[in-house]
């Protein structure tokens, strides 16, 4: 059974480079990974008052996270930071209302694309820290796609071979990492069942 990977792009822009990067990941994924993109446009603004009676869209997002084995996040960089759209969505996931943090202990890989020259490295560093604080296991490997307009065509297809190679490598690493972390957790559960 392949690992179920929920794919998030931190942009709502129709022609988003990060959504395109995620789409490329779906087609390049090794057999061990089944990547399913989730559109963040449906996730409402976080409001703590709504937690006791979750809006359906927030509940659906939490459900999608909960049923995933791992995450793959493609983040833009806004003013050197993680975009609000992505941070907002992750706040719904992490809350411990009724003791449930739906992403805790899941493996996650980060990547990002920009038409700028720094490749989202500052946003990725911030996201790495945020995800660690939320209790996820963050893959050490990283993929920075700088000057993306020279590496993708108008349809969002990656044309640069080196970018394709690096994306493939990131996905292979995520597959091994998922096997290590999810496999270990499943083994422990089985051990408990038997014991
Ligand atoms: C408010 C705002 C701030 C931005 N700040 C940065 C930045 O700090 N670094 C960067 O590389 N690009 C920055 N950009 C450019 C984005 O990388 C570019 O808009 C990119 O296309 C966004 O990702 P997307 O294509 O997935 O929507 C910024 C764009 C906006 C709208």
């Amino acid at each position: 059974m392949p690992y179920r990977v929920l794919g998030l792009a931190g942009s709502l822009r129709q022609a988003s480079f990060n959504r395109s990067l995620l789409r490329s990941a779906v087609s390049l994924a090794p057999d061990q990974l089944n990547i399913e993109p989730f559109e963040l446009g449906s996730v409402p603004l976080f409001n703590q008052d709504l937690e006791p009676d979750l809006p359906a869209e927030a509940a659906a997002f939490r459900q999608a996270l909960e049923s995933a084995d791992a995450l793959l996040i493609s983040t833009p960089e806004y003013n050197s930071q993680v975009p609000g759209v992505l941070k907002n969505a992750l706040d719904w996931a992490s809350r411990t209302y009724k003791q449930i943090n739906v992403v805790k202990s899941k493996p996650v890989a980060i990547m990002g694309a920009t038409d700028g020259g720094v490749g989202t490295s500052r946003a990725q560093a911030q996201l790495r820290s945020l995800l660690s604080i939320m209790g996820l296991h963050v893959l050490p490997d990283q993929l920075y796609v700088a000057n993306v307009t020279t590496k993708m065509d108008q349809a969002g297809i990656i044309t640069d071979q080196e970018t394709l190679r690096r994306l493939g490598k990131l996905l292979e690493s995520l597959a091994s990492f998922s096997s290590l972390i999810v496999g270990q957790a499943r083994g422990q559960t089985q051990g408990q069942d038997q014991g």
Side-chain angles (χ1 to χ4, degrees), residues 9-20 74-81 83 113-122 148:
S11 171
L12 306 185
R13 199 168 72 87
Q14 205 173 2
S16 161
F17 299 128
N18 286 280
R19 193 185 292 110
S20 296
S74 187
T75 186
E77 179 172 280
Y78 284 178
N79 297 309
S80 309
Q81 315 269 321
T114 172
D115 49 2
V118 187
T120 72
S121 61
R122 296 162 299 195
V148 64

Side-chain angles (χ1 to χ4, degrees), residues 164-190:
L164 283 171
R165 189 190 67 76
R166 288 186 183 176
L167 177 56
K169 202 160 167 278
L170 183 83
L171 295 170
E172 292 289 349
S173 295
L174 178 60
S176 309
F177 196 53
S178 299
S179 162
L180 192 73
I181 292 165
V182 181
Q184 210 171 54
R186 283 180 186 163
Q188 277 169 7
T189 311
Q190 275 169 6

Side-chain angles (χ1 to χ4, degrees), residues 93-169:
S94 67
R95 284 289 303 176
T96 51
Y97 177 73
K98 292 187 185 166
Q99 308 303 317
I100 302 169
N101 171 342
V102 289
V103 287
K104 195 163 190 298
S105 301
K106 293 191 194 275
V108 57
I110 305 173
M111 57 187 184
T114 172
D115 49 2
V118 187
T120 72
S121 61
R122 296 162 299 195
Q124 286 195 42
Q126 201 189 37
L127 183 58
R128 184 171 293 275
S129 158
L130 169 65
L131 294 168
S132 300
I133 288 166
M134 288 169 60
L136 288 98
H137 296 288
V138 188
L139 181 73
D141 308 44
Q142 49 223 352
L143 175 63
Y144 304 133
V145 184
N147 306 311
V148 64
T149 47
T150 65
K151 295 167 183 163
M152 248 178 214
D153 66 17
Q154 297 270 346
I157 308 290
I158 299 174
T159 49
D160 178 57
Q161 292 307 309
E162 180 58 14
T163 303
L164 283 171
R165 189 190 67 76
R166 288 186 183 176
L167 177 56
K169 202 160 167 278

Side-chain angles (χ1 to χ4, degrees), residues 6-14 16 18-20 22-23 36-43 57 61 64 85 89:
L6 196 74
L8 306 176
S11 171
L12 306 185
R13 199 168 72 87
Q14 205 173 2
S16 161
N18 286 280
R19 193 185 292 110
S20 296
L22 193 58
R23 218 179 292 128
E36 299 164 15
F38 187 100
E39 273 298 320
L40 294 181
S42 62
V43 179
E57 295 83 359
F61 179 52
V85 162

